Amino acid sequence: MNLQFTKHLKRVQRLMRTGRVAVTLLGVAVLVGLLWAAFGLGDAFAAFEPAARVAITKVLLGLVAVSGSILLLRALQVDRATAAAKADEALADPRQSASSGLSLPEKSEHSPLSEYLTRRTLDEAANNLAAIPASKIFPWRCVAKVAVIMLVMAGIAFGLKISAPAAFSTVTSRLLHPGDDIPPYSPLVFKISPANPACLYGGTLDLTAEITGAALEHPVQCLVKQARTGEVLRLPAFRESSTRYSRKLDGLTEPVEIAFACGKARSRWLKVEILLEPRILAGTVHLTPPAHTGLTETSFALDTNEIAAIEGSSVTLELTSNRPLAAGSLALTPAAAPGVEAKATSYLATLTAPQRVSFTWTAVQSGKISANVSDLRGTPAASPLELTMRMMPDQAPVVELTSPPRQLLATPKSIIPVSGTASDDFALSKLQFVRTLAGFRDRIRVVAPALHQKAYAFEDKLDLDALGLEAGQTIELMLEATDHNPSLLGSASSEISRIRIISEDQYAEYIRAKTTIAQFAARFQAARDAMDQARKALEKLKDALDKNDAPAAAKALDEARKAHRDAADLLDKIADDFPAFELEKRLQELAEQQAEDLRANLDALEKLDPAGDEAGAEVEKLLEKLGQRKQQEQQLDEDVALARKAASILEMAAKFRQIYENQVSLAKRFGSIVEEFRHGDDHSRRLLPSLADTQTHNRGALMDFKTELHRRLDAADDEPLLESLVASATQFLTDLDAAAPETLMDAAAGHAKAGEATDAYANAELARAQLERLLSKPDEFPKAAMGDAPEFKVPHPDVNATIEEMLKALLGQNPGGQGGPQAGGEGAQGPGGFGGQGVAGGGFPMDLPVIGPERLQFEPAPGLADGGNGNGRTGPIPPLPETAETGTLENSGDRHGKSSSVSPESIPEPYREAVKRFFTP
């Protein structure tokens, strides 16, 4: 076939196919528009749900796709005959050259003429086809018709959009997005609160809807769609106002969607988020103490509701939750006084792990801590973690001067032990020892310049002789300590210890006031017993030698050596001891001589051969040597016995003086109360029963005085030198019985108990006058009571001096008016003593500890303690050790060489300072 003809025919085919496809596509578009309009009208009235809209959309799309595909296939099916027919129609050729050319065979089998005619026909047909314009083949008219239809449909849509934009927009959105939750068109406008509903697991959700835009013609419902099943529950909503409705949802445990509906009008579906509440499972505290404390960082689990930290520490609180966390906050509210509002300080958390946050702050003040966390969804914990912040301030050091005590008396040559301790809650920095003499500047010595331990013990000795102190001066001692606190507040000092320097004479007065008569005699008895034991040991050795008993002699020799050695040691100590009484000086001289004799005998005993022929004669010489001072011993024993007997009577004079002084005090007090009554003041009436008891005690002391004085006079009746004193005391008793002041005392006590102050005063004053009258007589006994010691005709003046010293000590026992049972003659010393509390002759308090030269203390033998001859004795108390008590006489009721003070170690630590202050004057 002619190639040109075929080419131009295919051109016609292409133009026809293009036109038919264009018309088909436009037709499909018109179909889509019609179906979309119908779908929109149906949705506007039926308000299809998203699932229905999606299904309808799928059906329509399927319908359009099928019909469009069929039409396109049919549009594309243009064969050559149809194309030739269309070309002939466009040419308006009655010969239909295109169809004729198509019907001719491609190659003629007849004659050349036939071939010629065929070729000519095809060329003519090709020329005709080439001449056909494309506009006559393309179906412009059909395209125009369909386009007009489309324009009409677009105009209608535009008109709807202009006239009803809200409805048009809603329907269009629902059709374009069939799967989206777009509520159907309604004039009603729903505003739901909360806009993003969320609820804790198992909690309650309150929903409200504000519905505006038109009148409500149908009941309002709350729609709840379960996410798991898709089931929609329609719950009635409760009307709160004409436009406001609410609904409460309880026990939500899984996600749901909610909406409010009124008829076919509905709000958007809102997804309710179920919040899982974070909980604090554990906590860890990291503490970094201040650098000056020297402590290392510590970490511990938060197992209590309190965090205790040193002031200035860096505190990090790390909290672990059961859920991934996003944020946290901590509020620290410092403690404030009542009525004062404290301002809290807030700290934000640092996320250290998905489920862990930490807070860091500096510990400055005690207070309350409130910490809370929230998870990734912003859900906070149900309740904050409440803790207490407790500050542990850096305390100043605790410094204690344990020795010497707060007040102390000492002689100028004493060596005073100084000891103390310093402790700090973290670490000490420096310790200083400060001593001050009144009128001079402080002397400071740095004991420990660079400390880093918590406690430090200080010990030293203070040599008063090296300092050149004199009697009457006062030196003050103190310890000062500092710690490493940079605020300079860590400094503290001990209490001041004041040492008053006294002379050795005052020290002797102190000893005399503290020594009983029995203890005074025990010293002499101990020296005599030591010599007697040495003599007896020699006599026993001589007897064994005379009997030629070698074993007994060897044993007796060892015993004699030991007795001599012990006696010499004791007498050496007595000779070197501090003498408090004049008679003791004579004892010291004798003891020194006897100690020399004993040492000489001991040298001979060491060389003695008990088996020798001259052993007995040598022992006889040793006995003669020990007996050469026998007369001095006997004279000293007689003088001591005289002093003891005289002191026992003089002690009663001192006791009567005490009774008189107490009566003076009572009469004065009764007189003061009577004077107050005269001025209309009876507040002191309540004191009368107590004064009555005191009067009764003083009366009892007077009766005890009589009995005891009778007994002591009978014991001293055999001493000729005491005859005048005994006679004076006997006459004093007779006069006392005749005066009978006890009857006046009884009357005063009775009137005082009855509240009759005037009569009580009158009788008490009469009793005082009676006692004063007795004391004013010029006899020896009442003069002794007034401080005038009697003179005895003895060959040694130290006896009278000793008696005078004893009387002075006895009178200083209670110098005046203390009242009470002890003041009535029942003091700590009791019968046979001549010391006690009060003020010594030197003018210093007797209840203060004293440090001076060492002095032996002896236990009185049973005979001496009860006023006998003292045939037995106990061993001497050894010298006080060279520690804080060296040479110290403590205030004690007994003189057994033991301190009456309480040991600091026996008192619990928190109470030591209080006990110390209580017992320190």
Side-chain angles (χ1 to χ4, degrees):
M1 182 173 290
N2 190 298
L3 293 177
Q4 291 297 324
F5 177 78
T6 302
K7 173 183 176 182
H8 292 300
L9 184 60
K10 287 181 178 181
R11 169 176 170 269
V12 173
Q13 283 181 308
R14 285 196 302 271
L15 290 173
M16 289 183 66
R17 287 191 186 107
T18 302
R20 295 178 71 175
V21 168
V23 173
T24 300
L25 292 176
L26 292 175
V28 170
V30 172
L31 177 62
V32 170
L34 293 175
L35 293 175
W36 184 77
F39 186 17
L41 291 175
D43 182 67
F45 288 99
F48 300 126
E49 291 295 328
R53 294 202 308 274
V54 170
I56 295 173
T57 301
K58 290 180 179 180
V59 171
L60 294 179
L61 290 176
L63 179 61
V64 171
V66 171
S67 60
S69 298
I70 295 173
L71 292 175
L72 284 174
L73 289 175
R74 293 183 62 184
L76 292 174
Q77 292 178 359
V78 180
D79 55 6
R80 299 176 66 182
T82 304
K86 182 64 178 175
D88 289 339
E89 183 181 353
L91 291 172
D93 184 7
R95 291 184 302 168
Q96 297 183 347
S97 58
S99 297
S100 299
L102 185 62
S103 62
L104 292 176
E106 294 181 3
K107 190 175 181 181
S108 176
E109 298 179 358
H110 300 287
S111 61
L113 180 61
S114 296
E115 291 179 4
Y116 169 76
L117 292 175
T118 299
R119 188 170 54 252
R120 180 181 176 183
T121 301
L122 292 175
D123 291 339
E124 183 180 358
N127 293 331
N128 291 335
L129 289 176
I132 299 174
S135 59
K136 288 187 176 182
I137 302 301
F138 193 84
W140 290 108
R141 186 176 295 177
C142 292
V143 172
K145 291 180 180 178
V146 177
V148 170
I149 295 173
M150 292 180 64
L151 290 174
V152 171
M153 294 174 61
I156 295 172
F158 183 75
L160 292 175
K161 182 177 181 180
I162 296 300
S163 60
F168 182 83
S169 176
T170 301
V171 173
T172 302
S173 297
R174 284 170 62 84
L175 296 183
L176 293 176
H177 307 282
D180 293 351
D181 177 30
I182 301 175
Y185 168 72
S186 172
L188 300 178
V189 178
F190 294 83
K191 184 179 180 181
I192 299 177
S193 179
N196 298 308
C199 176
L200 292 175
Y201 183 87
T204 300
L205 177 62
D206 292 324
L207 299 171
T208 59
E210 188 76 24
I211 307 174
T212 57
L216 304 181
E217 299 177 355
H218 302 279
V220 178
Q221 295 178 321
C222 179
L223 309 182
V224 180
K225 182 192 297 184
Q226 296 183 352
R228 182 167 48 85
T229 62
E231 180 183 359
V232 178
L233 301 178
R234 293 182 173 269
L235 305 176
F238 300 96
R239 180 175 179 178
E240 295 182 358
S241 67
S242 59
T243 59
R244 185 179 179 85
Y245 290 80
S246 65
R247 177 70 194 190
K248 178 184 290 185
L249 303 180
D250 298 322
L252 294 176
T253 58
E254 61 182 24
V256 296
E257 295 182 9
I258 59 96
F260 279 85
C262 180
K264 71 170 185 176
R266 177 179 61 81
S267 68
R268 279 180 171 271
W269 287 103
L270 299 179
K271 186 176 182 180
V272 178
E273 185 176 13
I274 302 300
L275 304 177
L276 297 179
E277 193 174 71
R279 290 186 294 109
I280 298 175
L281 301 180
T284 304
V285 179
H286 305 276
L287 294 179
T288 304
H292 73 268
T293 63
L295 301 179
T296 59
E297 180 180 353
T298 58
S299 299
F300 55 88
L302 185 64
D303 51 3
T304 65
N305 63 344
E306 181 183 79
I307 299 176
I310 303 168
E311 185 176 0
S313 298
S314 176
V315 184
T316 298
L317 175 62
E318 193 172 59
L319 301 178
T320 303
S321 175
N322 61 334
R323 291 181 54 75
L325 301 177
S329 62
L330 181 142
L332 178 57
T333 305
V340 179
E341 183 178 357
K343 184 178 180 181
T345 304
S346 298
Y347 300 91
L348 297 178
T350 300
L351 189 65
T352 58
Q355 295 179 223
R356 190 178 301 122
V357 294
S358 65
F359 307 90
T360 301
W361 70 95
T362 301
V364 177
Q365 190 175 359
S366 298
K368 298 292 183 181
I369 296 174
S370 179
N372 206 345
V373 295
S374 56
D375 61 9
L376 296 176
R377 296 181 177 181
T379 307
S383 59
L385 177 65
E386 301 289 345
L387 302 172
T388 301
M389 186 70 198
R390 180 170 62 88
M391 287 296 96
M392 296 190 300
D394 185 359
Q395 301 286 355
V398 177
V399 190
E400 181 182 7
L401 187 63
T402 56
S403 176
R406 300 289 80 80
Q407 295 189 51
L408 179 69
L409 305 176
T411 57
K413 295 184 179 181
S414 299
I415 297 178
I416 301 175
V418 179
S419 62
T421 59
S423 61
D424 189 64
D425 44 1
F426 302 119
L428 293 168
S429 172
K430 182 172 64 174
L431 183 67
Q432 299 182 138
F433 176 51
V434 182
R435 72 173 191 263
T436 304
L437 183 64
F440 296 87
R441 64 182 181 86
D442 295 349
R443 294 295 181 93
I444 300 176
R445 178 163 64 93
V446 179
V447 177
L451 295 175
H452 293 282
Q453 60 263 40
K454 288 187 176 182
Y456 184 84
F458 166 68
E459 292 186 359
D460 198 0
K461 290 185 178 180
L462 189 65
D463 190 348
L464 300 184
D465 189 24
L467 297 178
L469 297 178
E470 299 178 354
Q473 292 181 323
T474 300
I475 187 172
E476 297 179 348
L477 307 180
M478 180 177 63
L479 287 177
E480 292 182 348
T482 57
D483 62 14
H484 296 272
N485 194 330
S487 63
L488 303 180
L489 298 178
S491 178
S493 59
S494 67
E495 294 186 7
I496 298 175
S497 177
R498 293 179 174 86
I499 304 174
R500 178 179 173 184
I501 311 302
I502 60 174
S503 65
E504 291 193 353
D505 291 339
Q506 291 174 312
Y507 179 64
E509 291 178 6
Y510 184 93
I511 293 176
R512 292 194 290 267
K514 294 290 186 178
T515 306
T516 65
I517 295 176
Q519 290 172 338
F520 165 76
R523 176 179 297 267
F524 298 88
Q525 183 68 35
R528 183 174 65 251
D529 288 349
M531 291 298 299
D532 289 344
Q533 289 176 9
R535 294 189 186 101
K536 290 178 181 179
L538 288 178
E539 292 173 354
K540 185 177 179 180
L541 175 60
K542 186 175 182 303
D543 291 342
L545 292 173
D546 292 343
K547 295 177 182 179
N548 292 323
D549 188 350
K555 181 179 179 181
L557 178 59
D558 291 339
E559 292 178 353
R561 291 170 179 169
K562 182 178 184 303
H564 276 65
R565 190 178 299 109
D566 293 344
D569 290 342
L570 176 62
L571 292 175
D572 281 338
K573 292 178 181 178
I574 292 177
D576 295 334
D577 205 10
F578 178 78
F581 297 90
E582 285 297 320
L583 267 176
E584 291 178 354
K585 296 179 180 179
R586 198 198 317 172
L587 173 63
Q588 286 181 300
E589 295 176 1
L590 180 60
E592 184 177 2
Q593 297 171 358
Q594 290 177 330
E596 292 177 357
D597 296 341
L598 289 168
R599 297 292 181 191
N601 279 7
L602 183 60
D603 292 340
L605 288 173
E606 294 293 343
K607 301 175 181 178
L608 181 67
D609 182 8
D613 296 336
E614 303 296 328
E618 292 180 8
V619 172
E620 185 69 28
K621 292 179 181 179
L622 296 179
L623 279 171
E624 292 177 1
K625 189 174 185 63
L626 292 186
Q628 63 184 352
R629 308 188 192 281
K630 190 71 172 180
Q631 184 178 359
Q632 296 178 9
E633 288 183 31
Q634 292 176 352
Q635 183 61 51
L636 183 59
D637 289 344
E638 291 175 2
D639 291 345
V640 171
L642 175 63
R644 284 188 63 243
K645 292 180 179 180
S648 67
I649 298 175
L650 295 178
E651 182 181 22
M652 299 312 298
K655 287 187 179 294
F656 187 83
R657 172 69 177 273
Q658 294 172 7
I659 295 171
Y660 166 72
E661 295 290 352
N662 290 336
Q663 191 62 35
V664 170
S665 177
L666 278 168
K668 184 177 180 181
R669 191 70 188 97
F670 279 129
S672 299
I673 294 176
V674 170
E675 188 67 24
E676 291 175 4
F677 284 178
R678 290 174 181 173
H679 291 84
D681 184 5
D682 61 347
H683 287 85
S684 298
R685 186 183 297 276
R686 56 188 175 83
L687 300 178
L688 290 175
S690 176
L691 293 176
D693 293 338
T694 305
Q695 180 66 86
T696 301
H697 283 303
N698 206 36
R699 191 261 188 199
L702 180 63
M703 302 310 294
D704 292 341
F705 164 79
K706 291 182 179 181
T707 303
E708 182 64 18
L709 182 57
H710 271 296
R711 186 184 73 81
R712 297 193 181 190
L713 290 176
D714 293 340
D717 193 44
D718 59 344
E719 181 58 60
L721 294 175
L722 299 180
E723 183 178 354
S724 61
L725 179 61
V726 171
S728 175
T730 303
Q731 183 61 42
F732 188 86
L733 276 176
T734 302
D735 295 341
L736 181 62
D737 290 337
E742 63 271 14
T743 58
L744 296 172
M745 293 180 180
D746 288 337
H751 287 303
K753 288 183 178 179
E756 300 167 352
T758 303
D759 294 336
Y761 166 65
N763 285 277
E765 178 62 23
L766 288 175
R768 182 205 63 77
Q770 291 281 22
L771 298 177
E772 184 176 355
R773 183 179 62 81
L774 293 172
L775 284 174
S776 62
K777 291 187 176 183
D779 296 334
E780 286 187 0
F781 188 83
K783 288 174 65 178
M786 299 305 294
D788 188 4
E791 291 284 343
F792 300 101
K793 297 179 180 180
V794 293
H796 298 91
D798 54 3
V799 177
N800 284 323
T802 299
I803 293 174
E804 184 177 355
E805 290 170 344
M806 290 181 173
L807 178 60
K808 185 177 179 180
L810 291 168
L811 291 174
Q813 176 180 353
N814 191 352
Q818 298 300 321
Q822 288 190 357
E826 300 176 10
Q829 299 299 326
F834 54 87
Q837 308 299 326
V839 179
F844 52 84
M846 294 298 299
D847 54 357
L848 294 182
V850 175
I851 291 183
E854 292 186 2
R855 175 177 169 83
L856 295 174
Q857 300 180 62
F858 293 86
E859 287 284 0
L864 290 175
D866 59 8
N869 294 325
N871 295 326
R873 63 169 287 276
T874 60
I877 299 298
L880 296 175
E882 294 183 359
T883 62
E885 292 79 22
T886 299
T888 302
L889 291 177
E890 297 288 349
N891 175 28
S892 174
D894 52 18
R895 302 304 330 149
H896 301 294
K898 299 177 182 179
S899 173
S900 64
S901 61
V902 181
S903 172
E905 291 76 13
S906 64
I907 304 172
E909 179 66 30
Y911 308 107
R912 288 183 184 175
E913 285 299 322
V915 173
K916 186 188 304 179
R917 286 193 294 270
F918 179 80
F919 284 106
T920 301

